[in-house]
Amino acid sequence: MKQVTVSAPGKLMIMGEHGVVFGYPSLVTAVDTRMFVRAEFIDSGKDVIVAPQVKESRFVETVVDLFKEKFKIEQVVKIETRSDFLQTVGLGSSSAVTVATFRALADLVYRRLTLREIFDLSYQVTLKIQGVGSGFDIAAATFGGVIYYLYGGKKIEKLLTKRLPLVIGYSGVKADTPALICKVKRKYERKKEEIGKIFEEIGYLVDKAKRAILNADYPLLGRLMNQNHGLLCRLGVSTKKLDKMVEVAIENGAWGAKLSGAGGGDCMIALVDKNKRSLVETAIERVGGVIIKVDSGADGVRREN
Ligand code: MEV
């Protein structure tokens, strides 16, 4: 019996979180923790989904239903997932499984979907389940690499760059991304001018950072990351723990550091020269962070068999 295995990568926000939800640009990267999805037809009454490592099998179920309805597929399928994600860390296991499941089903039924089509369908699923989100995680899982990204995929520009020398520290606290997005939205509605100005400044930093990445100017990129972290603190989404991890990373020689993602927990990232790496990692661990070993710029969704 034909079976198809596909994988898709996780993601990290490099710069521009929250602003991106309101139309400002962001910079994101795919990371090399991957979600593997195996799809096959089975003789059974109903679809079978085996996804023990997936936070919410709702994502897989929704993809299967949407795909079968859209492409009028009547056969019964079995979907199995396997991953090297630590789910709690916030590296985008839901977006990766969504993207990988679409591609696996498409290959199973010999239906060619472009990357843009996979992105659009997957973003539809995210919005259906979470209600909010810019879709940057879906873009990373689909296209891979380092991406300059605008809300809803209005722009998805892959940047020609080497992998970025990042250290990633997990704060030990799981963030509730949709709740944080709503918190910032309410703040924006109350203080349009003040918060709008912060988003504008974040967007300005992102545009400068894009050029810094293209020029591999890491000292500049680091300074821009530090400024971005300051603006996220003003938005009220950082935590004492994240601030501490960022502070010690910079004290120990990182070019720059900031929280990555919605805030409230999850991860911070530091941009670090290779000869300072172990110093920065140890400093982050000493204040209670957990170092996550992943590389940036990973491949997007791909067939594995
Ligand atoms: C969360 O990782 C990043 C946010 O900008 C939300 C999003 O872009 O979907 C806060």
Side-chain angles (χ1 to χ4, degrees):
M1 201 67 136
K2 183 181 178 194
Q3 59 95 0
V4 166
T5 302
V6 162
S7 77
K11 55 74 184 170
L12 271 175
M13 179 68 86
I14 303 169
M15 281 178 63
E17 43 275 271
H18 289 293
V20 65
V21 179
F22 297 87
Y24 294 91
S26 64
L27 286 160
V28 307
T29 182
V31 295
D32 64 352
T33 37
R34 300 190 78 84
M35 179 66 71
F36 296 83
V37 171
R38 184 175 184 272
E40 63 187 320
F41 293 124
I42 50 168
D43 294 320
S44 166
K46 64 180 180 61
D47 298 323
V48 174
I49 291 165
V50 187
Q53 321 81 346
V54 177
K55 199 170 43 182
E56 294 185 69
S57 52
R58 262 197 309 164
F59 285 90
V60 182
E61 285 158 21
T62 309
V63 172
V64 171
D65 291 348
L66 201 151
F67 186 90
K68 288 177 79 170
E69 193 190 314
K70 185 171 172 65
F71 298 110
K72 307 201 175 6
I73 307 297
E74 285 180 357
Q75 288 123 303
V76 178
V77 295
K78 179 175 180 186
I79 304 287
E80 271 179 282
T81 70
R82 169 170 67 80
S83 84
D84 33 47
F85 276 83
L86 282 170
Q87 281 164 38
T88 45
V89 174
L91 287 184
S93 54
S94 307
S95 41
V97 83
T98 301
V99 166
T101 306
F102 269 120
R103 169 73 194 272
L105 287 170
D107 283 17
L108 189 67
V109 303
Y110 298 103
R111 171 120 215 163
R112 255 196 87 72
L113 289 181
T114 62
L115 290 178
R116 182 70 214 196
E117 285 169 323
I118 293 176
F119 171 86
D120 288 337
L121 287 166
S122 301
Y123 187 43
Q124 219 176 303
V125 168
T126 306
L127 287 182
K128 194 166 176 193
I129 294 178
Q130 281 179 188
V132 285
S134 66
F136 83 94
D137 45 358
I138 296 287
T142 308
F143 294 89
V146 176
I147 298 171
Y148 178 80
Y149 181 81
L150 284 181
Y151 183 88
K154 281 198 192 73
K155 184 158 198 163
I156 302 175
E157 181 184 346
K158 266 183 98 162
L159 303 183
L160 269 180
T161 171
K162 291 193 293 198
R163 77 181 174 77
L164 300 168
L166 293 174
V167 166
I168 294 117
Y170 176 55
S171 66
V173 179
K174 177 81 202 99
D176 182 346
T177 300
L180 280 148
I181 294 175
C182 293
K183 178 179 152 180
V184 171
K185 187 163 178 267
R186 282 195 301 275
K187 228 178 193 171
Y188 180 52
E189 281 159 3
R190 265 187 287 119
K191 304 177 184 176
K192 269 240 152 69
E193 203 170 318
E194 182 192 332
I195 304 297
K197 187 110 203 326
I198 295 179
F199 291 151
E200 244 170 62
E201 283 178 50
I202 290 176
Y204 174 72
L205 295 178
V206 167
D207 280 329
K208 276 177 120 174
K210 176 186 173 188
R211 284 192 295 277
I213 288 177
L214 289 171
N215 295 331
D217 185 345
Y218 298 138
L220 173 59
L221 180 59
R223 286 198 296 280
L224 296 167
M225 286 168 65
N226 292 343
Q227 290 172 36
N228 192 169
H229 185 74
L231 291 168
L232 289 165
C233 291
R234 279 173 51 200
L235 269 188
V237 295
S238 192
T239 64
K240 278 204 177 100
K241 179 82 171 275
L242 285 167
D243 288 347
K244 193 75 202 157
M245 291 160 76
V246 165
E247 188 188 311
V248 298
I250 295 165
E251 273 168 15
N252 282 275
W255 282 303
K258 62 182 278 295
L259 71 82
S260 169
D266 282 353
C267 291
M268 52 73 71
I269 53 175
L271 192 70
V272 187
D273 192 16
K274 60 177 179 313
N275 57 32
K276 305 254 174 71
R277 197 176 181 94
S278 78
L279 214 61
V280 170
E281 287 182 349
T282 311
I284 291 172
E285 281 171 342
R286 228 183 278 123
V287 296
V290 177
I291 299 300
I292 310 290
K293 300 269 183 200
V294 291
D295 269 340
S296 61
D299 285 349
V301 65
R302 69 177 183 221
R303 180 75 177 263
E304 296 284 349
N305 69 339

